[in-house]
Amino acid sequence: MTRALFIVDVQNDFTEGGALGVDGGDAVAVGVSRFLEAHRDDYALVIASRDWHDGDNDNGGHFADGQPDFVDSWPVHCVAGTEGAEYDPGLDTSAVTHHVKKGQGVPAYSLFEGVTDDGETVADLLTAHGVTEVDVTGIATDYCVRASALDAIAHGRHVRVLTDLVAGVAPDSSDAALAELAHSGAELQESTP
């Protein structure tokens, strides 16, 4: 069996101090880096995604014109080319094999909605490399991690969510997302040292 690691949206705007920073975001960046140091050889692919939104429009209603509802509309975040869109400095990206940008003018939550700079989709990458299993890490448990893991399941992959390497917006919605993922067939477990 061939495995991939997803690192979902570990970006400055989603870690502490960012436009939509979540508690524990910096710890996820450092934790994923440490995990990869020990486990890089376990993965055929390491795919990292970033929100990469346009700065000159509302990205299909994703950016609020006024008060965001924090469900479908959000404050401005992860604008392409800004510091907020860059990876958190605690994340060592040297082992990343593919960088995926998502958003780019439209709302996007799942890593599967993104493409590499060469236009490759995640689904195509997984198929081309014979990936059957996906481990998911990143931010935020209750939004983009959830959407990415559900899409991996929908694409026929066995999914493990590494629960100590994710951080969510809120405890209740994060717990609900993990329960939904488990119900959908994902395995929930902590990463191994």
Side-chain angles (χ1 to χ4, degrees), residues 5-183:
L5 179 70
F6 287 177
I7 306 170
V8 180
D9 299 358
V10 182
Q11 298 171 259
N12 289 323
D13 269 349
F14 295 140
T15 57
E16 286 86 348
L20 289 171
V22 302
D23 290 340
D26 288 333
V28 166
V30 171
V32 169
S33 296
R34 286 188 184 139
F35 177 77
L36 263 175
E37 273 181 39
H39 296 279
R40 172 60 189 97
D41 292 341
D42 296 349
Y43 298 101
L45 298 175
V46 177
I47 302 174
S49 67
R50 283 183 288 175
D51 266 12
W52 201 255
H53 296 305
D54 294 346
D56 59 356
N57 62 70
D58 70 359
N59 292 274
H62 192 62
F63 288 173
D65 184 18
Q67 187 62 33
D69 64 15
F70 295 95
V71 175
D72 297 310
S73 63
W74 304 88
V76 173
H77 63 278
C78 299
V79 171
T82 67
E83 187 65 24
E86 295 304 320
Y87 293 115
D88 182 276
L91 180 66
D92 178 357
T93 60
S94 61
V96 173
T97 61
H98 296 84
H99 298 271
V100 173
K101 294 175 181 169
K102 60 188 181 68
Q104 303 186 79
V106 296
Y109 295 91
S110 171
L111 172 145
F112 282 84
E113 296 174 87
V115 294
T116 67
D117 285 343
D118 295 331
E120 297 169 294
T121 67
V122 172
D124 288 343
L125 289 169
L126 297 181
T127 299
H129 290 85
V131 170
T132 56
E133 299 187 20
V134 174
D135 290 347
V136 182
T137 66
I139 305 168
T141 309
D142 32 357
Y143 291 95
C144 296
V145 167
R146 171 190 168 271
S148 299
L150 286 173
D151 274 357
I153 293 166
H155 281 85
R157 274 45 181 211
H158 177 264
V159 172
R160 291 190 312 177
V161 178
L162 303 181
T163 55
D164 57 322
L165 298 179
V166 295
V169 173
D172 288 348
S173 54
S174 295
D175 289 346
L178 291 173
E180 178 187 7
L181 289 169
H183 182 74

